[in-house]
Amino acid sequence: MPTRRELANAIRALSMDAVQRARSGHPGMPMGMADIAEVLWNDFLRHDPQDPAWPDRDRFVLSNGHGSMLIYSLLHLSGYALSLDDLRDFRQLHAKTAGHPEYGLTPGVETTTGPLGQGLANAVGMAIAERALAARFNKPGFDIVDHHTWVFAGDGCLMEGISHEACSLAGTLGLGKLICIYDDNGISIDGEVQGWFTDDTPARFEAYGWQVIRDVDGHDPQAITSALQAARDEASRPSLICCKTVIGWGSPNKAGTADSHGAPLGEDEIVLARERIGWRFPAFEIPTDIRAAWDARKPGAARTRGWQDLFEKYTQAFPELAAEFSRRVGGTLPDEFAARADELLRSAAGQKNMATRKASQFALEGFGPGLPELIGGSADLTGSNNTRWSGSSTLSADNSAGNYLYFGVREFAMAAIGNGLVLHGGCLPYVGTFLVFTDYARNALRMAALMGLRNIFVMTHDSVGLGEDGPTHQPIEHVESLRLIPNMHVWRPCDVVETVAAWQAALQRANGPAVLALTRQTLPQQTRADDQIAAIARGGYTLWQSGDGNPEAIIIATGSEVELAVAAAKSLGNEGRRVRVVSMPCREVFDAQGREYRETVLPPAVRCRLALEAGVSSGWHRYVGDEGRVIGIDRFGESAPAGEIFKFLGFTEENVAGTLRAML
């Protein structure tokens, strides 16, 4: 029977070899954390390599994702569908073993990590999801949701500000099934971190309300086992296990230095490392006895079968709950969702004028009762974002069954925690703040798009229309910059009907996130026929036109500027001009339509085009062409009442009509 050290050395050897073959990568962390990983994966982690999506599996998150060969080695050795050839292809084009772990690419990878600290924040979301689902579905004798979330994190993760945001909230919520193993090796890319990271990390986490297990020898399996057991036994607090490790452990000349952090060890050093750790086998060769000792397929299958047997009995005892659990974990919407959405759209058409942030709350009131998987929250702006609806109850340390989170002023963590809720499964999150503060959360929004997660970002106060708070709070470039993120749908609705349609689209979209950019100021309801309401889902459509036949000119507008576009078009219509108003609440969805539809809305022959949006103008030029014009805001705003700012910046009916009149 192989020793624990020999099992850990298999990780070290595979990591050294793959990084060397790729001529790039990070061998130091996998070599340093190999002993910890061996104990966790062989003695504690509840998983099934043959069923990576088993609902009640433990979640493992490699927050320090640069050490990706650690998780690839673990997945391969324990029996996941990741071959030696996949490891040999580390960091190569189209390989399952990308430079950083990628969700959806590699079986067993729970989240895409690499931007440090975000994996840890995702894990907080996963732990919240586990607790919320357990509170909803578990019954006496039927704990169908009962698992832990384990995180590996390094110095870099804990230096990042998002770790403070996320871990502070995790402590407040008392997430006892969240366990973070801190790789305290004292080294980052620039060298010894004592020159720039001297925090008392254990005291910091104790202040958050975590259980902290200090000074664990990360190369002593017995000490590691004791620490992991103590963490798993703690039910009321998340746990931080501080493991002292040596980066690059086993490398005679590079262990304990930044030289092993982010570059191959080199062929000569690998030979010496093999001698040092007693690994006598060629590159990528794992001896039969070591491979057999690592193989987790049989015990994993037994765990899954045990859970399936329990769930079958649960189904017999609680058939409706079992069906609901399966639906939610499967990520499908209720059968009646479409009918509910149609009814809500009809109701929206009869509403009074209101701000679209208020219209968003109206949508939540309509959709919420039929979507028990909704979990929402705001970054200390609940009353401004209108993210709490009448069916909300606060999720807290004392109320695990809640569906509303007060995130506090933690925009970045909020967005990343929302991603974790999606990744866990069974939850459909929406999170809110001011649009201008997407700057704080942007990288998590990008990660949601990269992973294709159904996370809904409710971003209010979407323009200079928020008024007196001034340029620090008035988003100018934000809508356009969010549109630059691939796979992100950015909706900027103009009234209640478009807001409900935007919510419907965001809820139905299973392969990516959506941003809802919403106004503070009241907007008028637009008049539409049924076919126009249906066309909102296509991202852009003809809202109004003066005169019959093909238009002479087209005004394209979004959000609060649609009102201006219609008023200006009517003014020119009274002069006998044929002017079309195209409302384009979501450019990404419109661009995805077929050419025939797009040219029906924007006929190529019509060269006189004017785009209108209270934000930077740059993205609109491809819609208006060389002969068109854009009325936008290519400067910062001013502190003044909204009406005065719009007038000062040229967003008036007179200016829009005059500009188009001059073009005609």
Side-chain angles (χ1 to χ4, degrees):
M1 181 69 182
T3 66
R4 305 211 77 136
R5 179 55 52 80
E6 288 172 330
L7 296 177
N9 284 344
I11 298 171
R12 294 185 171 101
L14 289 173
S15 299
M16 289 190 297
D17 293 339
V19 171
Q20 187 64 37
R21 183 180 176 90
R23 299 187 184 278
S24 71
H26 299 74
M29 188 279 273
M31 296 174 72
M33 294 197 79
D35 295 306
I36 304 168
E38 187 276 320
V39 174
L40 173 62
W41 277 62
N42 283 325
D43 290 358
F44 287 86
L45 195 72
R46 297 173 65 251
H47 65 119
D48 182 0
Q50 297 175 100
D51 188 2
W54 168 40
D56 201 35
R57 69 194 181 278
D58 282 356
R59 271 58 171 181
F60 174 75
V61 174
L62 190 74
S63 190
N64 43 353
H66 54 274
S68 55
M69 269 310 303
L70 176 70
I71 193 169
Y72 297 149
S73 299
L74 291 165
L75 293 170
H76 168 75
L77 290 167
S78 58
Y80 286 77
L82 198 68
S83 68
L84 273 177
D85 285 339
D86 291 323
L87 269 57
R88 290 188 182 97
D89 287 341
F90 178 55
R91 288 187 161 225
Q92 305 310 301
L93 185 64
H94 304 314
K96 290 183 181 179
T97 46
H100 291 78
E102 293 188 25
Y103 171 74
L105 176 66
T106 312
V109 169
E110 300 283 2
T111 179
T112 300
T113 54
L116 293 175
Q118 283 201 65
L120 178 53
N122 294 161
V124 173
M126 294 175 188
I128 292 172
E130 191 275 344
R131 170 176 283 185
L133 290 170
R136 174 69 179 90
F137 291 102
N138 286 355
K139 296 295 180 181
F142 293 98
D143 288 338
I144 63 168
V145 182
D146 184 15
H147 54 265
H148 285 76
T149 301
W150 304 85
V151 190
F152 279 7
D155 290 302
C157 292
L158 300 190
M159 279 187 258
E160 289 283 4
I162 190 174
S163 72
H164 166 79
E165 295 183 23
C167 294
S168 172
L169 183 60
T172 298
L173 294 176
L175 300 176
K177 290 186 177 178
L178 173 64
I179 301 170
C180 178
I181 295 99
Y182 167 34
D183 181 30
D184 184 9
N185 62 40
I187 297 292
S188 65
I189 292 176
D190 279 350
E192 296 183 10
V193 300
Q194 64 185 9
W196 50 87
F197 185 48
T198 58
D199 303 16
D200 186 342
T201 298
R204 169 186 159 194
F205 275 77
E206 286 170 346
Y208 294 153
W210 288 51
Q211 172 186 224
V212 176
I213 303 172
R214 298 172 178 247
D215 298 321
V216 177
D217 183 344
H219 303 296
D220 179 350
Q222 185 174 350
I224 296 165
T225 298
S226 297
L228 295 179
Q229 186 62 57
R232 195 165 64 177
D233 289 343
E234 173 58 56
S236 62
R237 296 176 294 170
S239 295
L240 179 74
I241 303 173
C242 301
C243 289
K244 295 290 184 180
T245 64
V246 177
I247 191 171
W249 190 96
S251 171
N253 299 302
K254 297 186 177 182
T257 72
D259 290 340
S260 67
H261 183 282
L265 297 181
E267 297 286 0
D268 293 341
E269 186 67 13
I270 288 176
V271 170
L272 296 174
R274 274 180 152 75
E275 293 177 359
R276 174 65 62 87
I277 67 176
W279 191 260
R280 303 178 303 280
F281 314 102
F284 296 103
E285 181 178 316
I286 305 297
T288 302
D289 61 337
I290 291 178
R291 185 172 293 281
W294 265 107
D295 193 343
R297 288 174 293 183
K298 186 175 180 179
R303 291 189 192 99
T304 303
R305 283 195 304 271
W307 183 85
Q308 289 171 341
D309 290 344
L310 177 67
F311 190 70
E312 287 178 9
K313 295 175 182 176
Y314 180 84
T315 301
Q316 294 171 5
F318 308 100
E320 293 183 0
L321 277 177
E324 176 67 6
F325 178 81
S326 296
R327 180 191 71 78
R328 287 178 59 169
V329 169
T332 59
L333 297 175
D335 292 339
E336 63 274 12
F337 177 82
R340 181 181 290 271
D342 289 342
E343 180 182 350
L344 191 58
L345 281 168
R346 287 192 295 271
S347 176
Q351 295 300 306
K352 298 179 180 179
N353 300 346
M354 68 176 74
T356 52
R357 63 169 174 162
K358 189 66 177 176
S360 174
Q361 190 175 46
F362 171 84
L364 279 169
E365 292 286 354
F367 286 121
L371 291 173
E373 59 264 50
L374 273 180
I375 295 183
S378 169
D380 202 50
L381 291 168
T382 293
S384 295
N385 299 147
N386 295 115
T387 41
R388 190 175 175 106
W389 58 287
S390 60
S392 299
S393 64
T394 303
L395 194 157
S396 67
D398 299 321
N399 181 26
S400 300
N403 63 355
Y404 193 82
L405 279 158
Y406 288 96
F407 285 99
V409 187
R410 300 181 177 105
E411 294 89 356
F412 194 1
M414 174 183 70
I417 288 169
N419 290 345
L421 288 165
V422 183
L423 289 160
H424 180 279
C427 299
L428 205 171
Y430 65 95
V431 296
T433 186
F434 288 171
L435 179 61
V436 75
F437 297 140
T438 55
D439 283 341
Y440 285 140
R442 185 180 180 86
N443 201 263
L445 271 72
R446 181 178 187 270
M447 295 299 286
L450 178 62
M451 289 188 270
L453 304 181
R454 181 162 42 186
N455 195 356
I456 301 171
F457 301 99
V458 180
M459 302 301 171
T460 70
H461 296 58
D462 72 331
S463 75
V464 294
L466 68 87
E468 293 86 346
D469 277 339
T472 61
H473 284 56
Q474 293 168 357
I476 300 298
E477 73 278 18
H478 296 75
V479 167
E480 192 62 39
S481 71
L482 291 167
R483 289 172 177 146
L484 295 174
I485 301 176
N487 199 39
M488 178 69 76
H489 286 183
V490 181
W491 289 86
R492 190 166 184 255
C494 74
D495 64 1
V496 184
V497 176
E498 283 193 0
T499 303
V500 170
W503 262 104
Q504 179 184 0
L507 291 166
Q508 288 177 320
R509 188 181 187 221
N511 62 348
V515 169
L516 309 183
L518 308 171
T519 66
R520 177 198 185 198
Q521 71 272 29
T522 298
L523 302 181
Q525 283 280 76
Q526 300 296 327
T527 302
R528 300 176 184 82
D530 289 345
D531 61 334
Q532 290 175 300
I533 293 176
I536 298 171
R538 306 188 79 164
Y541 64 102
T542 299
L543 174 64
W544 190 88
Q545 182 173 319
S546 59
D548 298 323
N550 290 328
E552 298 175 83
I554 299 173
I555 306 176
I556 311 168
T558 74
S560 53
E561 290 68 70
V562 169
E563 172 189 6
L564 278 177
V566 171
K570 288 181 177 179
S571 177
L572 270 72
N574 291 335
E575 300 171 10
R577 294 292 193 176
R578 298 188 308 278
V579 180
R580 173 177 295 182
V581 174
V582 170
S583 178
M584 195 175 289
C586 186
R587 286 196 337 213
E588 298 77 31
V589 171
F590 179 76
D591 291 346
Q593 304 303 308
R595 179 176 178 179
E596 181 179 357
Y597 177 78
R598 287 184 283 112
E599 291 187 351
T600 299
V601 176
L602 298 175
V606 181
R607 302 289 186 179
C608 183
R609 300 184 184 186
L610 175 66
L612 183 63
E613 186 172 66
V616 293
S617 62
S618 58
W620 288 104
H621 295 286
R622 64 191 177 98
Y623 295 93
V624 301
D626 293 339
E627 298 174 38
R629 294 278 300 276
V630 179
I631 296 178
I633 304 175
D634 294 312
R635 50 153 291 174
F636 294 114
E638 298 281 347
S639 180
E644 294 182 24
I645 299 173
F646 276 124
K647 183 177 181 180
F648 173 72
L649 294 172
F651 285 85
T652 63
E653 177 187 338
E654 294 76 17
N655 185 49
V656 175
T659 299
L660 197 61
R661 191 178 293 112
M663 293 171 66
L664 287 166

